[in-house]
Amino acid sequence: MSSTPVPLPGNVQNMAELLRVVAEPKRLLILDLLMQGVHCNCELGKALQLAPNLISHHLSVLRKAGLVDMERDALDARWVYYTINRAALDELNNAWDVFFGPARIQPRRPSCGPAGTLILDDEMDRRQHNE
Amino acid sequence: MSSTPVPLPGNVQNMAELLRVVAEPKRLLILDLLMQGVHCNCELGKALQLAPNLISHHLSVLRKAGLVDMERDALDARWVYYTINRAALDELNNAWDVFFGPARIQPRRPSCGPAGTLILDDEMDRRQHNE
DNA sequence: GCTATACTTCAACGCACATTGAATCATTTC
DNA sequence: GAAATGATTCAATGTGCGTTGAAGTATAGC
């Protein structure tokens, strides 16, 4: 229960990119609908009052990010249906927890400024016991 | 364990705004450091290789979003220390789960297109039992 | 008082990206 | 074949916002 290895900032770029994709209001709404099940382009357009080309655009961004899958209708290939990529969603949820899970919050005093050099009472106690 | 009331899209705007704040790479890095404990402006600047005014800028964005608190040093008021706002973090985590929690994923066929009007086998079964 | 330090604010710049409208593609239907 | 439908792609536009560099604020030390 001791050394927390301080999560790697290499993931930060990936995480930021995913969050950027998700942070766009229209895309968040699309995801909100897709979480409730399969939708086609026209359906999303109606629900969001958005032109079909814009829906396409946002869906392609979501697909490139791996968050959304598409599938053509077996009977009429003109229709396309979109679904949440469950694996990607799980990954995103895990990554989120790694960053923002409350367990990561740690006590720490800054390493500079008066508060950094100041030796507090409890610190004195700690030093006396260790050395 | 039945009716999931379909989360309100009124929160969507707030959520998107918070995610936008958090999605910025430098800010995500700052949050990453603050999760590990208190930091002052100069410390963050050194860690991120960023000019102090940029740090200030991003911190002010984070503060306006309520995610970060600041506190002046009691001995030397020139130094400012920043911390994660625990309550805001908890709220953010809750909001995230409301949106992206896997439990929200629901089965659904689109309401338009062939797949929408098509009556599948299991649907036939369902109808026979209900009517 | 004057200078140094820690941080903030301001104005200007530049770029990424959502939006728009038109054109294009791929199927299906007649 | 031609027309219609669902969806995508393209070029052009507008703008939000991160960045830059300089000026400003506040406190501390002399």
Side-chain angles (χ1 to χ4, degrees):
Chain A
M1 66 135 78
S2 52
S3 66
T4 309
V6 180
L8 25 160
N11 300 353
V12 174
Q13 293 303 321
N14 302 337
M15 182 65 173
E17 169 62 15
L18 269 181
L19 289 179
R20 188 192 64 80
V21 167
V22 159
E24 209 288 322
K26 306 290 168 53
R27 284 197 286 267
L28 194 55
L29 274 170
I30 290 176
L31 284 176
D32 186 51
L33 290 173
L34 292 187
M35 289 291 280
Q36 301 169 35
V38 188
H39 283 73
C40 66
N41 194 322
C42 73
E43 231 179 343
L44 295 171
K46 272 179 221 155
L48 305 189
Q49 306 262 52
L50 236 57
N53 58 347
L54 256 189
I55 302 286
S56 267
H57 165 65
H58 286 308
L59 280 171
S60 87
V61 174
L62 289 169
R63 283 206 304 129
K64 276 169 192 162
L67 294 172
V68 165
D69 290 329
M70 60 169 281
E71 183 186 8
R72 292 204 167 269
D73 190 293
L75 297 177
D76 186 338
R78 289 175 300 182
W79 296 79
V80 181
Y81 306 114
Y82 295 96
T83 54
I84 292 278
N85 182 316
R86 179 58 189 265
L89 182 73
D90 290 344
E91 267 189 57
L92 182 57
N93 273 311
N94 287 339
W96 175 271
D97 287 340
V98 167
F99 269 89
F100 296 108
R104 267 198 68 222
I105 297 186
Q106 304 220 343
R108 175 186 187 275
R109 265 184 296 113
S111 67
C112 61
T117 54
L118 181 63
I119 299 180
L120 301 174
D121 291 349
D122 57 342
E123 174 71 5
M124 283 299 289
D125 291 351
R126 206 184 58 78
R127 293 197 179 187
Q128 282 177 348
H129 286 95
N130 285 2
E131 179 69 10
Chain B
M1 60 140 80
S2 53
S3 67
T4 311
V6 179
L8 25 159
N11 300 354
V12 174
Q13 293 303 322
N14 302 337
M15 182 65 173
E17 169 62 15
L18 269 181
L19 289 179
R20 188 192 65 80
V21 168
V22 159
E24 211 286 322
K26 306 290 169 52
R27 284 196 288 266
L28 193 55
L29 234 31
I30 290 177
L31 284 177
D32 185 51
L33 289 173
L34 292 188
M35 289 291 281
Q36 302 169 36
V38 187
H39 283 74
C40 66
N41 195 323
C42 72
E43 230 177 342
L44 295 171
K46 272 179 223 156
L48 305 190
Q49 305 263 51
L50 236 57
N53 57 345
L54 258 189
I55 301 286
S56 266
H57 166 66
H58 287 308
L59 281 170
S60 86
V61 174
L62 289 169
R63 282 206 303 130
K64 275 169 193 161
L67 293 172
V68 165
D69 290 330
M70 61 169 280
E71 183 187 8
R72 293 205 166 268
D73 191 294
L75 297 178
D76 186 338
R78 290 175 300 182
W79 297 78
V80 181
Y81 306 113
Y82 295 95
T83 53
I84 293 278
N85 181 318
R86 179 58 189 265
L89 182 74
D90 290 345
E91 267 189 57
L92 182 57
N93 273 312
N94 287 338
W96 175 271
D97 288 341
V98 168
F99 268 90
F100 296 108
R104 265 199 67 223
I105 296 186
Q106 304 222 341
R108 176 185 186 274
R109 267 184 294 113
S111 66
C112 61
T117 55
L118 182 64
I119 299 180
L120 302 175
D121 291 348
D122 58 340
E123 174 71 5
M124 284 298 289
D125 291 351
R126 206 183 57 79
R127 293 196 179 187
Q128 283 177 348
H129 287 97
N130 286 2
E131 183 70 9

